[in-house]
Amino acid sequence: MTRYADIPKPIRSGIVIVDPERGTPQRIIVLQFNPDTLERSVAPQSAGGGGDAGGGGSGGDRNEALRLQGPAQETWKFTAEIDATDQLDVAAPDGIHPQLAVLEMLVQPTTAQLREASRLSQKGTIEISPIETPLTLFTWGSKRVMPVRLTELSVNESAFDVNLNPIRASLSIGLKVLTVSDLPAGHRGAELYLAHLAQKERLARAASAGQLGSLGLSGTGIGTGR
């Protein structure tokens, strides 16, 4: 009989905040439960733009039909669950406020950054650079580790303790994968994206090749009408 101790624990998905200079993790956010589903969208960056609408187009557009301007734009959406009642052995005097705050700070500047921007403004600084957020990685197993920007965070709190601390919540999270088109050359995030893309290439090479016969086509004369 298989014992429960012999069953390997599932790998958790999560978010890693990385120092872009040193490449060292600053914070690791492990999702309490792996999402049941993932919604992914991959949109190519076509060189021809929107193309024509079926009524013909310029010769330039036709020449660009099979060209790409850069990496595809990839987005992820999923629902994460946080439940303090599932961890009754862990003290939670603030409910799940801390877990929610960690995720919300991914899209918030810190008070120190805001105070510094205010100080520069009061000194008469004409141009103040936008506040830079940390380099964020989303991990879904060892084969999916990619730099991302959080684009959506919608929180549905559904249970509270006697002090009105939330103890259960469902979070809709949207992520945009950052590519070499989004990051400066030499940025650590750009290198991590290239590693992510190289992993896709390795997996694509491992897929079994199909046969033309399965499509009802012969090996010669394809596309010639024969």
Side-chain angles (χ1 to χ4, degrees), residues 14-16 38-45 70-78 106-107 133-139 145-153 172-184 189-190 192-193 196 200:
I15 296 171
V16 182
L38 292 172
E39 180 183 343
R40 298 173 53 233
S41 173
V42 183
Q45 288 198 71
Q73 298 295 305
E74 183 175 356
T75 59
W76 290 53
K77 289 184 179 180
F78 59 89
L106 295 177
V107 293
T133 59
L135 174 59
T136 305
L137 305 180
F138 178 65
T139 71
V145 180
M146 66 214 82
V148 297
R149 180 175 67 238
L150 191 66
T151 58
E152 177 187 343
L153 179 60
S172 296
I173 297 176
L175 304 171
K176 178 186 184 300
V177 177
L178 298 178
T179 73
V180 292
S181 298
D182 303 306
L183 298 165
L192 288 166
Y193 171 76
H196 168 61
K200 285 181 182 287

Side-chain angles (χ1 to χ4, degrees), residues 109-126:
T110 65
T111 53
Q113 290 172 322
L114 291 173
R115 291 183 188 278
E116 177 63 13
S118 177
R119 184 185 68 81
L120 292 174
S121 177
Q122 291 173 4
K123 286 180 61 177
T125 303
I126 297 176

